[in-house]
Amino acid sequence: MPTIEARGLTKRFGSHVLAVDHLSFTAIPGGVTGFLGPNGAGKTTTLRMLLGLVTPSSGSVLVDGHSYRDLPNPTKRVGAVLEASGFHPARTARNHLRLTALVAGLPFARVEECLDLVGLMDAADRKVGGFSMGMRQRLELARALLGKPDILVLDEPANGLDPQGIAWLRDFLRFYASESATESEEGRIVIVSSHLLSEAQLIVDDVIVLTSGRLAAQGRLADLLAGTSRSVRVRTPDATRLLQALRAANLPAVERDGYVVSEGATPEQLGPLMVENRIEVHEMASSTESLETLFFSLTGGESAPGQTAAPVGDYRRFVEGPTFSPDPSPVAPSSSEGVQP
Amino acid sequence: MIRLLRAEVRKLWTIWSTYVVFGIVVLIDLAFGFALGFAPGGRHGGTAGIVPHGSLPWFTNVFSVLDNSRLLALVLGALIITGEYRHKTVTPTFLAEPRRGRVVVSKLGVGFGAGLLLGVLTMVAGLILGFILILVRVHSCVWLGGVSQGMSHAACSARQGLYYSANLHGMWQDWSQIAPGVILGTGLFAIYGIGLGALLKNQIVAIVVGLIFTLVVETIITAIWPVIGEYLPGQAATALEDAARTTFRDNGPLLPWWGGALMLLAYGITLAVVGTLTTLRSDIT
């Protein structure tokens, strides 16, 4: 069974930057694990330590109980799609893949399979220098898949992909993670790092959330989202009567931005109440917490150190003059599900 | 290890910069060779006219520039390792083989081979150059002033056949005296270049430092303290050439050929080991 385990993983860059701070986590096979966090949370550094490209200052991250550098043929164990991974611009896509195939002792036929899989067969003999960002990402994916690894690590794979490309990648990762479940019982580990939460929510089963190099949360996404607060908001010309009715029914109610918002209530509670009181409804929406709001609650609405809301305030002050006072509370966006009345 | 070596060989022949280096070597050899071969006068008291017998100064003159190919071997060696960093191909390279020392060892092996090939190419170019020079020179008895030097047409023509064989023999002697040293020298200089590349990592810096050290710093040191100079890479490479000790150039004191080879190898390996333990251990971010 493939395993990835980090214990007290720490990385300092210089004496001031603590990129990863005593991070411990375990990745679970049989699904897609989201490696989430704001920019600068230490996602990329952690993944690069996992892949032996960056040396930890202390602690360890082990693949199948070994350090990556001690794996006899890592291409067959771990596939990695990294940002800023390089291509020689003058080398063709096919030759780029053949280099890795040679080192890993894989037949060149496998290169053709992977080119075909990512849809680059037509561009196989073109120089990578002329490739678009999306094609380079596909080529990276093809290289990662050469050794049919049980562990796939992707760092911000959606970057540079167009919407079709993202959808393709999403389907592919689901397929790859599930394919193993039927083929062998042990399952595969697929780790996808992302700061695009709405995108990640569509792919991941498990999440590992990082903030400032520390673990903020780990678990199944569904479990983490369950038990979090939900709310219903209603747009109505009879706001005052609805507020009265809700308070009479012991439900929390506030008026906000032209909506009546009831935190913790469900549409099933509000519907009958409004029918009973003959309140005209123009719009009713229930919002369950999304990964994004969960994320903001876990990270305290903060980005990485030095990337908090302050620069935005400074920027606006600069643009709008010294009289402007920035709103201190960042707005936590939430995804809404429309309900027709 | 075999797999790594095969991958490194493929890395070389799948990019054009390798061919550019090889092309430049041949072009420079031919250009310098022709310039020296036809130069009126020169380091050996003039190259114009026909030298009737013995070792021919203008061949030694021409062949003496061929060992400059080692500068291109140094550049090639530096490219082999710094190119990975420049184009960030070092990421897939170290993903596939995370033991970085093994990658460096395979690069040293392939670089040495490529350097030897560069040397062979150089000497083949030199041989072709020699043939051309003989043809032109021998005919120049008629064309370029042999006649005006007081020789009759008949006498000149009569001696032409003799000159052909004498010249060919002389050229072959000179060539075979210099070829092994040049070939081994370019091979070892490629290793030296890889060592510099491993230590400095930055492509431009590695090439500039390598060339300036060899062309300027070493020349100055050798001129002022020849005893120190003979232990420096350039002089060590010159010591490989049998001809350097006997026929041409005032090279100053030189190590025995095997001493030069060991010295040069020591430079390359030491730099590569130090580079592997320091620069190449750094994080790939």
Side-chain angles (χ1 to χ4, degrees):
Chain A
M1 192 162 106
T3 61
I4 290 176
E5 195 174 11
R7 285 262 177 85
L9 194 62
T10 303
K11 180 64 188 182
R12 282 174 195 281
F13 290 112
S15 55
H16 294 294
V17 184
L18 185 58
V20 179
D21 185 8
H22 292 91
L23 178 65
S24 298
F25 65 87
T26 310
I28 307 151
V32 180
T33 302
F35 210 65
L36 310 175
N39 288 330
K43 301 186 297 289
T44 299
T45 304
T46 304
L47 294 183
R48 284 183 173 259
M49 285 193 278
L50 164 67
L51 296 166
L53 296 171
V54 169
T55 312
S57 305
S58 66
S60 64
V61 52
L62 301 180
V63 179
D64 300 338
H66 301 284
S67 152
Y68 186 91
R69 290 180 189 173
D70 294 331
L71 294 173
N73 192 350
T75 310
K76 289 187 171 174
R77 207 67 203 118
V78 185
V81 176
L82 294 176
E83 271 191 304
S85 178
F87 308 94
H88 196 288
R91 202 172 274 140
T92 65
R94 182 174 272 128
N95 275 326
H96 177 74
L97 295 181
R98 283 181 171 184
L99 290 178
T100 295
L102 276 173
V103 176
L106 297 163
F108 283 170
R110 180 64 191 156
V111 169
E112 305 304 310
E113 279 173 32
C114 288
L115 280 169
D116 196 35
L117 183 66
V118 300
L120 279 179
M121 206 42 128
D122 293 339
D125 286 322
R126 275 173 52 193
K127 290 179 178 174
V128 182
F131 275 24
S132 70
M133 189 72 191
M135 290 168 84
R136 284 168 195 236
Q137 284 285 47
R138 279 161 187 259
L139 184 57
E140 262 298 271
L141 185 61
R143 194 185 51 71
L145 295 171
L146 279 174
K148 295 182 184 163
D150 275 337
I151 298 170
L152 203 53
V153 177
L154 303 96
D155 191 15
E156 302 278 359
N159 277 6
L161 291 182
D162 53 16
Q164 291 100 313
I166 291 176
W168 177 87
L169 182 71
R170 191 163 63 215
D171 292 345
F172 173 78
L173 292 180
R174 285 230 152 276
F175 158 76
Y176 197 79
S178 68
E179 187 194 38
S180 63
T182 56
E183 227 174 49
S184 59
E185 280 173 42
E186 50 188 25
R188 284 174 170 159
I189 294 179
V190 177
I191 295 183
V192 182
S193 90
S194 183
H195 66 277
L196 300 171
L197 300 169
S198 51
E199 182 52 42
Q201 191 164 17
L202 298 171
I203 310 181
V204 304
D205 307 298
D206 302 290
V207 288
I208 293 169
V209 182
L210 292 190
T211 46
S212 313
R214 284 186 293 269
L215 185 69
Q218 176 175 19
R220 296 204 78 82
L221 180 61
D223 296 344
L224 287 174
L225 289 179
T228 52
S229 64
R230 42 178 60 229
S231 70
V232 180
R233 61 172 199 184
V234 181
R235 191 158 64 85
T236 168
D238 298 330
T240 324
R241 284 178 54 222
L242 178 59
L243 284 168
Q244 280 169 356
L246 283 168
R247 278 165 194 155
N250 250 340
L251 287 169
V254 287
E255 194 170 1
R256 194 190 295 156
D257 301 333
Y259 289 90
V260 173
V261 180
S262 182
E263 302 276 356
T266 62
E268 287 77 8
Q269 289 171 302
L270 263 70
L273 209 67
M274 289 188 287
V275 173
E276 212 174 281
N277 291 285
R278 303 184 65 79
I279 293 169
E280 185 182 335
V281 175
H282 293 170
E283 182 191 332
M284 176 161 78
S286 100
S287 76
T288 52
E289 204 164 10
S290 66
L291 179 56
E292 217 156 313
T293 41
L294 171 73
F295 179 78
F296 274 106
S297 70
L298 287 171
T299 61
E302 274 184 26
S303 302
Q307 294 185 312
T308 51
V312 178
D314 292 346
Y315 160 72
R316 285 159 136 189
R317 189 175 294 134
F318 175 73
V319 173
E320 299 180 13
T323 53
F324 175 80
S325 84
D327 184 358
S329 63
V331 182
S334 60
S335 80
S336 300
E337 215 181 294
V339 176
Q340 295 297 324
Chain B
M1 205 67 212
I2 298 290
R3 293 167 176 175
L4 272 175
L5 286 170
R6 287 182 63 194
E8 289 299 329
V9 170
R10 181 171 285 259
K11 270 180 200 173
L12 271 182
W13 65 254
T14 50
I15 53 171
W16 55 267
S17 27
T18 313
Y19 301 101
V20 171
V21 169
F22 277 75
I24 287 176
V25 162
V26 175
L27 282 180
I28 288 184
D29 288 343
L30 293 180
F32 271 101
F34 272 112
L36 284 175
F38 290 108
R43 286 182 284 188
H44 299 282
T47 54
I50 297 168
V51 183
H53 51 74
S55 186
L56 304 175
W58 42 272
F59 284 129
T60 56
N61 224 348
V62 169
F63 291 150
S64 73
V65 301
L66 296 180
D67 62 3
N68 283 321
S69 289
R70 63 184 178 226
L71 292 174
L72 269 297
L74 183 136
V75 170
L76 184 69
L79 285 176
I80 283 175
I81 201 151
T82 59
E84 296 254 22
Y85 277 92
R86 182 166 173 214
H87 298 292
K88 293 183 172 172
T89 50
V90 70
T91 303
T93 298
F94 285 161
L95 280 177
E97 179 47 88
R99 287 161 294 185
R100 301 181 184 181
R102 290 169 64 97
V103 174
V104 175
V105 169
S106 64
K107 282 185 186 296
L108 287 171
V110 170
F112 182 59
L116 290 180
L117 192 63
L118 209 59
V120 169
L121 207 64
T122 296
M123 291 319 297
V124 169
L127 204 57
I128 294 168
L129 191 65
F131 281 122
I132 296 172
L133 287 176
I134 288 175
L135 287 176
V136 174
R137 281 287 176 176
V138 169
H139 280 92
S140 71
C141 165
V142 180
W143 297 343
L144 295 177
V147 176
S148 64
Q149 281 170 11
M151 207 183 287
S152 72
H153 267 262
C156 188
S157 300
R159 294 176 71 175
Q160 264 182 16
L162 202 65
Y163 290 158
Y164 271 122
S165 64
N167 285 345
L168 278 174
H169 182 70
M171 181 185 78
W172 180 253
Q173 266 192 335
D174 286 354
W175 190 87
S176 52
Q177 263 196 330
I178 201 171
V182 168
I183 293 170
L184 186 59
T186 48
L188 291 172
F189 246 68
I191 288 185
Y192 175 45
I194 290 174
L196 276 175
L199 189 67
L200 299 172
K201 203 160 90 170
N202 181 295
Q203 189 162 86
I204 305 293
V205 172
I207 291 175
V208 168
V209 166
L211 291 183
I212 287 190
F213 186 82
T214 310
L215 291 173
V216 182
V217 180
E218 216 186 299
T219 311
I220 293 172
I221 293 177
T222 307
I224 302 176
W225 304 287
V227 190
I228 299 174
E230 67 180 311
Y231 293 100
L232 296 176
Q235 285 291 86
T238 304
L240 297 174
E241 293 158 26
D242 206 15
R245 227 167 265 97
T246 53
T247 44
F248 61 92
R249 283 199 295 208
D250 181 18
N251 287 302
L254 290 171
L255 297 168
W257 77 267
W258 51 268
L262 287 179
M263 205 63 224
L264 202 46
L265 191 64
Y267 276 110
I269 301 292
T270 306
L271 287 169
V273 167
V274 173
T276 306
L277 293 178
T278 57
T279 321
L280 295 189
R281 275 180 68 176
S282 60
D283 296 333
I284 314 293
T285 51

